[in-house]
């Protein structure tokens, strides 16, 4: 297939659904499949895929929304940086609206802080060159998908010797949260729909630990409706064929048009040079995870905001009413949160899952899933 419309073809979708239904009828018991990436969640609920699948196949949400997993304390640290004299704080648009304990970066800008959103960290570097009397800080977030662009920018800052630029790194890696979910035992998960964008960098090899250590299948998928349906079909086939029961679960690659087994070695080499793995990093909903965050290596320490400034390192608990942590780990669905769609909306977000378009709560809200809460209470399956 060459064009986007081909990945949204209704006839092809019906054919895939028939195959899924035929195999689902052979399952001995229901299965739950976690879509790791927020981009997958967005597609699933934009196109209503969850309602098309057989009743014995459930999709649950994972911790793959890069904005959603940032804990409130790191947002407060960014707010502190924005309040420092002669600082221009820059970040991606989604992070502007993420609530800290005393408002968001957008609120801070309204109160006079110089906070600006950028499309790329290279934009922030250019801003530093254009404003030599200011300290320009880039608030970096994201998995291995966005970390290479930050690494390229740090390399450019060193090459061009830009002294007034620094990065507040909040990059994270995909393996530790998946391990935590499987090891935690609080979420019913039988297989994973792997994040295609992350896999373009780390390859399908990064998910081999799921079948090798936990006997769980994974299929790396693209982000169109047919991509996700095909990934579900490939996962169900592993259960029906007996491979999972026989300990032969595997990592499949539905997104072969983009993803390779080995990933992008050049990008990974750059990440290894520019970043260093933190001993521990805090995640929303998962707490402190070992070896899960990327700090800036000693070679690039001159451009590390956490070394240039005495960042407080705030530890702030989530609001009591917010259940983003449970949504991010698949323990509940968004409509089960008591403030979903009432006190917490995209205009008045209490938690991060309602801010980013990749957040499960925002996807449910924006695509008309508010009424799903009623159907759950009535004990019926949504039509």
């Amino acid at each position: 297939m060459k064009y986007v419309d081909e990945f949204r073809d209704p006839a092809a979708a019906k054919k895939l659904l028939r195959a899924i239904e035929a195999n689902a009828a052979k399952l001995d018991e229901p299965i739950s499949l976690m879509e790791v990436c927020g981009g997958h969640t967005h597609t699933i609920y934009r196109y209503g895929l969850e309602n098309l699948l057989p009743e014995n196949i459930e999709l649950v949400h994972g911790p793959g929304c890069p904005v959603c997993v940032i804990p409130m304390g790191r947002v407060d640290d960014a707010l502190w940086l924005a309040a420092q004299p002669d600082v221009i704080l820059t970040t991606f648009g989604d992070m502007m609206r993420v609530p800290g304990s005393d408002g968001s970066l957008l609120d801070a800008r309204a109160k006079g802080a110089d906070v600006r959103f950028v499309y790329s960290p290279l934009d922030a570097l250019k801003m530093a060159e254009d404003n030599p009397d200011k300290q320009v800080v880039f608030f970096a977030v994201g998995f291995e998908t966005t970390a290479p662009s930050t690494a390229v920018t740090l390399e450019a800052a060193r090459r061009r010797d830009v002294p007034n630029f620094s990065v507040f790194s909040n990059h994270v890696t995909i393996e530790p949260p998946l391990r935590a979910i499987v090891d935690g035992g609080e979420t019913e998960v039988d297989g994973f729909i792997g994040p295609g964008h992350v896999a373009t960098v780390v390859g399908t090899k990064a998910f081999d630990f799921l079948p090798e250590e936990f006997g769980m299948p994974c299929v790396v998928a693209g982000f169109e409706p047919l991509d996700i349906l095909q990934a579900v079909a490939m996962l169900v086939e592993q259960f029906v064929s007996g491979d999972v029961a026989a300990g032969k679960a595997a990592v499949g690659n539905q997104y072969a048009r983009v993803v390779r087994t080995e990933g992008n070695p050049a990008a990974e080499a750059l990440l290894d040079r520019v970043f260093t793995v933190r001993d521990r990093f805090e995640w929303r909903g998962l707490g402190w995870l070992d070896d899960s965050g990327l700090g800036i290596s000693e070679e690039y320490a001159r451009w590390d905001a956490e070394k240039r400034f005495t960042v407080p390192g705030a530890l702030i608990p989530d609001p009591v009413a917010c259940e983003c942590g449970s949504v991010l780990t698949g323990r509940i669905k968004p409509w089960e949160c008591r403030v979903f769609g009432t006190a917490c909306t995209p205009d008045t977000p209490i938690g991060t899952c309602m801010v980013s378009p990749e957040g499960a709560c925002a996807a449910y809200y924006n695509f008309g899933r508010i009424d799903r809460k009623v159907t759950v209470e009535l004990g019926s399956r949504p039509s």
Side-chain angles (χ1 to χ4, degrees), residues 260-307:
R260 301 291 178 266
T261 301
E262 68 279 8
N264 185 330
E268 289 193 283
L270 179 63
L271 294 182
D272 289 343
R273 185 169 74 250
V274 174
F275 293 107
T276 183
V277 178
R278 300 177 188 266
D279 291 337
R280 301 175 75 223
F281 192 77
E282 187 184 8
W283 292 62
R284 189 178 293 253
L286 289 166
W288 293 88
L289 299 182
D290 294 341
D291 304 323
S292 65
L294 297 179
I296 297 172
S297 70
E298 196 59 37
E299 187 177 350
Y300 296 83
R302 184 182 171 196
W303 296 275
D304 186 349
E306 292 181 84
K307 289 185 170 64

Side-chain angles (χ1 to χ4, degrees), residues 20-292:
I20 293 171
E21 289 168 357
N23 271 337
K26 303 173 187 176
L27 291 171
D28 294 329
E29 54 187 23
I31 59 172
S32 294
L33 307 176
M34 174 174 281
E35 83 271 4
V36 174
C37 185
H40 289 149
T41 301
H42 180 91
T43 298
I44 287 165
Y45 294 102
R46 177 180 180 183
Y47 293 95
L49 301 185
E50 85 284 14
N51 288 339
L52 300 177
L53 295 175
E55 291 189 15
N56 58 345
I57 299 174
E58 182 183 14
L59 298 178
V60 297
H61 323 303
C65 167
V67 170
C68 303
V69 299
I70 299 298
M72 189 171 283
R74 298 296 282 188
V75 179
D76 274 22
D77 286 343
L79 289 164
W80 180 88
L81 283 166
Q84 301 312 297
D86 297 321
V87 164
I88 301 173
L89 186 82
T90 63
T91 191
F92 295 133
D94 285 357
M95 285 307 304
M96 297 283 285
R97 298 178 56 245
V98 174
S101 63
D102 186 26
S104 66
L105 288 170
L106 205 57
D107 295 326
R109 186 169 73 171
K111 295 174 183 176
D114 197 345
V115 180
R116 310 181 193 183
F117 80 86
V118 293
Y119 293 104
S120 163
L122 287 169
D123 294 339
L125 181 61
K126 178 66 165 55
M127 201 176 295
E129 291 176 310
D130 292 342
N131 296 272
D133 58 331
K134 300 286 187 178
Q135 287 290 329
V136 177
V137 181
F138 177 63
F139 181 12
V141 301
F143 288 86
E144 292 95 337
T145 314
T146 55
S149 65
T150 302
V152 166
T153 304
L154 284 165
E155 177 61 34
R158 183 173 74 163
R159 187 175 64 252
R160 284 143 60 173
D161 193 23
V162 183
N164 61 321
F165 174 76
S166 60
V167 170
F168 178 44
S169 178
N170 290 270
H171 286 298
V172 290
T173 57
I174 195 64
E175 181 177 332
L178 300 187
R179 284 186 176 277
I181 285 171
V182 176
D183 284 335
E186 296 181 21
T187 306
E188 291 292 332
V189 180
D190 300 295
F192 290 87
I193 300 174
H197 290 155
V198 169
T200 62
V201 176
V202 300
T204 60
K205 68 182 187 307
F207 304 95
D208 286 344
F209 73 94
L210 289 168
E212 291 174 358
E213 298 180 32
F214 300 105
M216 303 180 75
C218 174
V219 172
V220 172
F223 297 88
E224 293 297 328
L226 294 188
D227 289 330
I228 294 172
L229 289 177
Q230 187 178 21
V232 171
M234 293 168 68
L235 284 165
V236 174
E237 175 62 32
Q238 289 199 49
F239 286 95
V240 171
S241 68
D243 285 348
V244 174
K248 297 179 180 179
V251 176
N253 185 7
Q254 185 280 328
Y255 206 23
R257 65 186 185 274
V258 175
V259 172
R260 301 291 178 266
T261 301
E262 68 279 8
N264 185 330
E268 289 193 283
L270 179 63
L271 294 182
D272 289 343
R273 185 169 74 250
V274 174
F275 293 107
T276 183
V277 178
R278 300 177 188 266
D279 291 337
R280 301 175 75 223
F281 192 77
E282 187 184 8
W283 292 62
R284 189 178 293 253
L286 289 166
W288 293 88
L289 299 182
D290 294 341
D291 304 323
S292 65

